[in-house]
Amino acid sequence: MPGENLTRIEAAERAALIRVHSYAVTLDLTVSDRTFKSTTVVKFASNRAGASTFIDAITDKVHRVVLNGIELNPSEVADNVRIQLPNLQVENELLVEADALFMNTGEGLHRFVDPADNEVYLYTQFEVPDSRRMFAVFEQPDLKATFSFNVIAPKHWKVVSNQPTPAAKELADGNAVWEFEPTPVISSYITALVAGPYTEYRSELVSSDGRTIPLGVFCRASLAEFMNQTDADYIFEKTREGFEFFENAFGVPYPFEKYDQLFVPEFNAGAMENAGCVTFTETYVFRSKPAEATRERRVITILHELAHMWFGDLVTMKWWNDLWLNESFAEYASHLAVANATEWKGAWVTFSALEKSWAYRQDQLPSTHPIVAEINDLADVQVNFDGITYAKGASVLQQLVAFVGEADFLKGVGNYFKKHAFGNTVLGDLLVELEATSGRDLRNWSKLWLETAGVNTLRPEFEVDESGNFTSFAVLQSAIAEQPTIRPHRMGIGLYDLIDGKLQRVDHIRVDIDGVRTELRELVGLKRPALVLLNDEDQTYAKIRLDEDSLSVALEHLSDIEDPLTRALIHGAAWDATRDAEWNPRDYIKLVLGNIAFETESTTMQTLLRQLVTVGRFYVKQEDREQVLAEIADSLITLAKSAAAGSDAQLQFTKFLTQFARTGEQLEFVSQLLDGSRTLDGLVIDADLKWELLTALVVGGRAGEAEIAALAAIDVTANGQKAAAQARAAIADADAKAATFKLLTETKEYSNALVQMASVGFTRVIDVELLRPFANRYFESALDIWQNQTFKIAEYLLVNLFPMPLCDESLVELSKQWIAKPEIQAQPALHRILVENLAGLERALKVQKTDR
């Protein structure tokens, strides 16, 4: 992998030298199961005759390189990663003929064989630097061009790309060719190809400029019974709602000719914004009952990708340091659209509970970085698809909207799209438009919010008189020494009192905070309420603390708060205080288990349960951990039994029980649910839930290979394969763990999806000592994994195989020893992953010291 890097300096030098006109790419997908034939003709200009440059092409073998009619020797100019191009003319034409590799890592052109029917499915995933795995290309976002694809494939396949699919032309050998029209001028990473016997659903809409836009939804044939016309129609409905919202909000029509949404197998991310050809994870094709949180997340993802058609596809960052111009804006815009245009009106509650929690966690790692990040090379950007680029960036945009107003913000964004359509931009280009519409100088705001890292903590400080009225009120702002920036905040302060047994807001005061201490005369003379809540309505990005009396009221009456956003903010404050070792983790467990049955928001519930897993496994001191985990499991059994029949809460409590069950009685309860000898009214033990229950029994030593094989023989599907891989990796046996570790670190037998599931299953243990032999082996394997796997496979292995459940000082010392090695420090992205693993471990041990 390190040999495939591209530095920012190299990219800048190349962009200064050349301008790309067009690509004509011909792909023959019928050659073999391992490779396909890739022929690329590139037309480009150079501003300096006689200069040299290079084009990117990760290949199996390069057969021909012809530059301006001159045959170049592939063995001299090509190394299977780059092709050197000497003696350029002012106008150039390059031909590259090569064999390229089908991938099983979810990068490049991914090939998947459906176990249900043995049909072959292909799809591309190019962001960040993987279009070069399919065709020769100048792989950087600011060298835009038009792209035309000719694709030879089996004639019964569907073939989809960025442009509308043309009629297939049948060939004499029984295959067919699809000849696509050229795209508009776009970056290579948003080009796409999806091919195979996909099932297709069709619809259309009329855009704001009067064009008819064809719509498509695609899935594998074996999933068609779960997608079906009803679900496809729902996706079309959300898509229409998003189109109308974004076109009205931005004042810019949808910029492409059609809009297809394709649910593809073994996808590494949630989705990818290929222009007019968006790919999604098959997790969003529901073969089993999903949590309501997952249903909502699918809608948010649909509109996130649609927002990218403007943010990222129409206007693209010049270099990856401005990746936030894509992701932060799409994240903010999707939640805005979901809340305003769909039935999911609680989208901002979801954002607060899930996205901001992710941002705060990421922003407190040693590897945190400004939203506008320093990206020196491709390795830097690949680890920067993180909670800063997505969630913090979107949170800061919330604060910007509070500062300049939503109407001026959206008008400025629309002007930015119109001015830079099909071009590349930097941060300053956006600020110019926002300053023009808002009349505000945003340079200092940008410097403090976008160009520095870290999260502030806000606390109230006040005094009251004998009548209970505020005589003074201040907000104190702090920052850690490593990230000392103090920022301005425009936010609300909520005053809440108990009324008829409910904790309700009685006043909301909008204030501006700046500096380490801000005196607020607006509150002086007001009666002190039962609860004072900073950042009421959640418009700024900061951790908040409650005063002691407000905290007591909040904990006692949390379930009596009717507003779900207020509940999410208080839950978030408690979680932050726990992670910062200011609050006993047992109190956090008590808070969650005492109130979660009353939570109405599915994503808030899911987030709390995930945090419960973290607290139970890592934050409770080791000598009490088993007892506490068993107590949590008992509570979840009680909650599942008492939840409404068929409810989302019942499903979530049951699913998370599988993460905690450990005693004989608890495992027997799980076993009875699985075999049907015990039932909970309304709870369907469907295909995916069966695997979760079985995996809990495997972790608990109550099941093994025989039971896994039996269920896998029934569930002959991609989901079944993945679940079986996770369950096998979780077998509570030293030999089984050793076999899994060897399989994952010494072979390339598994695809990306199987690597992900098995590596997660590997650390699912009750007896943490099963992982002790692998602590040294993990670090001994790390550099080899990094150098010999693709980025995504390496990331899965290095994050998921880290033996975090050991959670002791010996693992801290071992981590520090390896992180300090020169060969690790020589690979900054690898070093970052290991440092982040260590940071989570050190935080856990710090929190354990508060566990009394």
Side-chain angles (χ1 to χ4, degrees):
M1 183 169 56
E4 299 169 2
N5 210 350
L6 172 74
T7 69
R8 182 177 184 176
I9 292 173
E10 288 176 317
E13 289 174 346
R14 188 162 64 175
L17 176 66
I18 68 169
R19 181 166 58 89
V20 188
H21 304 312
S22 66
Y23 293 85
V25 180
T26 299
L27 304 169
D28 187 345
L29 307 179
T30 67
V31 174
S32 76
D33 294 347
R34 179 176 172 271
T35 65
F36 58 95
K37 186 176 180 180
S38 174
T39 302
T40 308
V41 176
V42 194
K43 295 181 179 180
F44 63 100
S46 169
N47 60 23
R48 195 167 73 250
S52 62
T53 189
F54 63 92
I55 195 167
D56 307 284
I58 298 179
T59 62
D60 186 51
K61 184 177 182 179
V62 176
H63 294 290
R64 291 184 72 200
V65 179
V66 182
L67 179 61
N68 299 321
I70 300 173
E71 292 271 356
L72 304 180
N73 187 338
S75 65
E76 295 177 359
V77 299
D79 61 5
N80 294 336
V81 176
R82 291 181 177 182
I83 299 172
Q84 300 300 321
L85 305 176
N87 194 27
L88 297 179
Q89 300 177 13
V90 174
E91 290 293 337
N92 301 272
E93 183 172 309
L94 171 69
L95 166 71
V96 177
E97 292 181 359
D99 293 334
L101 291 165
F102 289 115
M103 300 295 290
N104 73 339
T105 67
E107 300 148 302
L109 182 56
H110 184 91
R111 184 178 188 273
F112 171 81
V113 180
D114 191 337
D117 55 19
N118 290 318
E119 291 282 7
V120 174
Y121 291 87
L122 309 177
Y123 68 87
T124 55
Q125 171 57 29
F126 290 158
E127 190 175 37
V128 173
D130 287 318
S131 61
R132 57 187 174 160
R133 294 185 185 276
M134 192 171 88
F135 57 95
V137 61
F138 297 107
E139 184 84 88
Q140 58 191 80
D142 59 343
L143 288 178
K144 289 187 167 185
T146 64
F147 297 81
S148 60
F149 295 102
N150 291 344
V151 181
I152 299 169
K155 65 181 181 181
H156 71 285
W157 281 14
K158 302 288 176 64
V159 178
V160 185
S161 186
N162 306 96
Q163 292 297 100
T165 299
K169 298 178 181 178
E170 191 167 342
L171 302 174
D173 60 4
N175 295 309
V177 60
W178 287 259
E179 299 173 348
F180 289 86
E181 292 294 316
T183 67
V185 175
I186 58 176
S187 299
S188 63
Y189 78 90
I190 57 170
T191 62
L193 174 66
V194 182
Y198 286 88
T199 295
E200 176 182 9
Y201 304 89
R202 303 302 314 178
S203 189
E204 63 183 30
L205 59 78
V206 177
S207 70
S208 60
D209 60 0
R211 290 175 300 141
T212 297
I213 306 295
L215 305 177
V217 166
F218 296 75
C219 70
R220 284 187 289 125
S222 62
L223 290 179
E225 64 177 300
F226 306 113
M227 171 61 73
N228 65 55
Q229 188 65 55
T230 300
D231 205 30
D233 286 342
Y234 180 79
I235 293 169
F236 290 137
E237 178 185 284
K238 298 308 106 182
T239 303
R240 288 190 187 91
E241 290 168 351
F243 260 80
E244 182 177 0
F245 181 85
F246 290 138
E247 289 188 331
N248 288 338
F250 305 149
V252 176
Y254 173 70
F256 302 104
E257 289 187 41
K258 54 93 174 178
Y259 194 69
D260 289 325
Q261 298 174 90
L262 306 104
F263 296 81
V264 298
E266 299 189 319
F267 199 66
N268 283 322
M272 175 61 203
E273 65 271 17
N274 312 305
C277 184
V278 177
T279 43
F280 292 87
T281 173
E282 285 182 343
T283 305
Y284 290 144
V285 180
F286 304 134
R287 74 164 191 164
S288 296
K289 181 180 178 180
E292 288 295 289
T294 305
R295 293 185 63 242
E296 181 190 35
R297 174 54 45 188
R298 181 173 72 164
V299 175
I300 292 170
T301 305
I302 287 169
L303 296 195
H304 177 106
E305 302 311 316
L306 180 56
H308 269 309
M309 298 301 109
W310 290 266
F311 294 109
D313 291 7
L314 176 63
V315 181
T316 313
M317 72 269 148
K318 182 176 179 62
W319 177 246
W320 296 102
N321 60 307
D322 277 315
L323 175 63
W324 80 284
L325 286 172
N326 291 11
E327 299 300 346
S328 301
F329 275 86
E331 193 73 352
Y332 171 79
S334 62
H335 285 82
L336 184 68
V338 170
N340 286 281
T342 79
E343 74 274 26
W344 300 94
K345 301 303 180 187
W348 287 119
V349 182
T350 290
F351 183 82
S352 181
L354 183 64
E355 306 299 325
K356 279 198 167 177
S357 176
W358 179 24
Y360 294 146
R361 183 173 70 251
Q362 188 86 46
D363 213 5
Q364 294 174 85
L365 291 170
S367 57
T368 189
H369 55 86
I371 294 169
V372 180
E374 183 64 33
I375 301 294
N376 295 311
D377 55 28
L378 295 179
D380 278 355
V381 71
Q382 287 184 311
V383 291
N384 259 35
F385 284 82
D386 59 14
I388 304 299
T389 301
Y390 283 77
K392 180 180 179 180
S395 302
V396 169
L397 289 176
Q398 263 191 311
Q399 175 61 186
L400 177 58
V401 170
F403 186 55
V404 304
E406 185 177 292
D408 286 340
F409 172 80
L410 291 175
K411 184 178 179 181
V413 166
N415 291 342
Y416 167 79
F417 291 143
K418 294 168 187 172
K419 186 174 183 177
H420 299 285
F422 298 106
N424 295 90
T425 58
V426 296
L427 168 63
D429 296 318
L430 176 65
L431 293 182
V432 164
E433 304 307 322
L434 294 177
E435 287 179 335
T437 55
S438 69
R440 295 178 180 272
D441 183 350
L442 297 177
R443 302 292 161 163
N444 188 57
W445 182 93
S446 171
K447 198 175 297 289
L448 294 172
W449 276 108
L450 300 177
E451 300 166 52
T452 61
V455 57
N456 301 115
T457 301
L458 304 178
R459 304 173 189 266
E461 182 179 275
F462 52 79
E463 295 179 347
V464 296
D465 59 23
E466 62 279 1
S467 301
N469 297 323
F470 292 121
T471 57
S472 67
F473 195 107
V475 174
L476 311 184
Q477 180 176 188
S478 60
I480 63 171
E482 294 82 357
Q483 307 291 348
T485 303
I486 298 297
R487 299 177 177 87
H489 303 263
R490 175 160 290 183
M491 68 177 194
I493 297 179
L495 307 182
Y496 291 77
D497 266 324
L498 280 165
I499 301 173
D500 298 328
K502 299 293 184 182
L503 199 55
Q504 299 182 32
R505 187 168 68 189
V506 294
D507 206 348
H508 174 87
I509 298 96
R510 297 267 292 177
V511 298
D512 287 306
I513 305 299
D514 202 356
V516 296
R517 181 184 182 90
T518 304
E519 297 286 348
L520 297 174
R521 295 182 179 180
E522 303 98 310
L523 280 86
V524 173
L526 297 178
K527 186 173 180 61
R528 176 185 176 174
L531 168 68
V532 176
L533 182 63
L534 302 186
N535 195 26
D536 194 36
E537 296 187 354
D538 198 28
Q539 289 189 309
T540 196
Y541 174 80
K543 296 189 293 183
I544 61 170
R545 296 292 186 261
L546 294 121
D547 66 273
E548 188 173 338
D549 290 340
S550 292
L551 179 61
S552 296
V553 170
L555 299 183
E556 183 179 353
H557 295 283
L558 184 53
S559 59
D560 296 322
I561 299 173
E562 293 183 330
D563 179 49
L565 181 55
T566 302
R567 292 197 304 271
L569 287 167
I570 293 171
H571 277 301
W575 173 240
D576 288 332
T578 302
R579 292 187 75 249
D580 290 347
E582 296 178 15
W583 216 41
N584 188 334
R586 309 285 182 102
D587 289 337
Y588 184 79
I589 293 170
K590 182 179 177 182
L591 173 71
V592 171
L593 292 176
N595 291 278
I596 198 166
F598 304 98
E599 183 52 57
T600 60
E601 303 303 302
S602 182
T603 298
T604 301
M605 179 179 289
Q606 188 177 79
T607 301
L608 293 172
L609 289 166
R610 288 173 178 168
Q611 291 167 348
L612 201 60
V613 173
T614 299
V615 174
R617 288 185 182 172
F618 307 127
Y619 290 178
V620 173
K621 60 185 178 182
Q622 195 164 21
E623 55 267 35
D624 293 345
R625 194 172 300 150
E626 279 302 300
Q627 177 188 339
V628 171
L629 289 168
E631 290 170 354
I632 294 172
D634 281 338
S635 295
L636 289 172
I637 289 173
T638 300
L639 286 164
K641 288 179 177 178
S642 59
S647 65
D648 183 69
Q650 181 192 57
L651 178 64
Q652 293 214 51
F653 297 148
T654 304
K655 282 176 171 286
F656 276 89
L657 167 63
T658 66
Q659 299 287 324
F660 292 98
R662 58 216 324 103
T663 69
E665 187 175 348
Q666 292 162 0
L667 292 169
E668 182 61 23
F669 181 85
V670 171
S671 179
Q672 289 171 352
L673 287 178
L674 179 59
D675 67 26
S677 59
R678 179 191 291 269
T679 60
L680 296 179
D681 287 347
L683 181 68
V684 177
I685 309 301
D686 51 31
D688 291 334
L689 187 52
K690 282 180 182 177
W691 279 110
E692 293 184 61
L693 295 169
L694 177 59
T695 302
L697 297 175
V698 170
V699 173
R702 289 281 296 270
E705 175 57 36
E707 291 82 1
I708 296 168
L711 186 52
I714 297 169
D715 188 9
V716 186
T717 65
N719 276 24
Q721 282 186 335
K722 291 186 292 185
Q726 182 179 37
R728 287 190 171 102
I731 292 175
D733 174 84
D735 290 340
K737 291 293 182 188
T740 296
F741 192 87
K742 181 176 182 179
L743 172 69
L744 291 173
T745 60
E746 297 181 23
T747 80
K748 295 186 178 181
E749 179 180 328
Y750 272 2
S751 69
N752 57 317
L754 299 182
V755 166
Q756 180 189 23
M757 295 295 283
S759 57
V760 168
F762 179 78
T763 53
R764 282 279 303 273
V765 293
I766 291 176
D767 178 7
V768 299
E769 291 304 311
L770 281 169
L771 300 177
R772 185 73 62 185
F774 302 100
N776 272 303
R777 290 179 64 184
Y778 168 85
F779 287 105
E780 290 165 357
S781 303
L783 189 60
D784 180 69
I785 289 169
W786 188 255
Q787 292 179 330
N788 293 299
Q789 300 282 4
T790 65
F791 170 76
K792 203 62 194 180
I793 299 294
E795 183 182 46
Y796 285 145
L797 294 175
L798 293 168
V799 172
N800 296 341
L801 292 181
F802 182 67
M804 180 70 181
L806 292 173
C807 206
D808 58 19
E809 293 291 348
S810 67
L811 185 57
V812 170
E813 292 309 310
L814 184 63
S815 299
K816 289 180 176 178
Q817 290 171 19
W818 277 92
I819 287 169
K821 289 181 181 290
E823 59 268 33
I824 299 296
Q825 296 194 350
Q827 304 291 340
L830 167 62
H831 182 262
R832 171 177 165 168
I833 291 172
L834 299 184
V835 165
E836 289 184 354
N837 288 343
L838 173 61
L841 177 62
E842 290 182 318
R843 181 178 289 271
L845 293 175
K846 181 179 178 182
V847 177
Q848 285 179 28
K849 293 177 182 178
T850 70
D851 179 24
R852 297 179 298 276

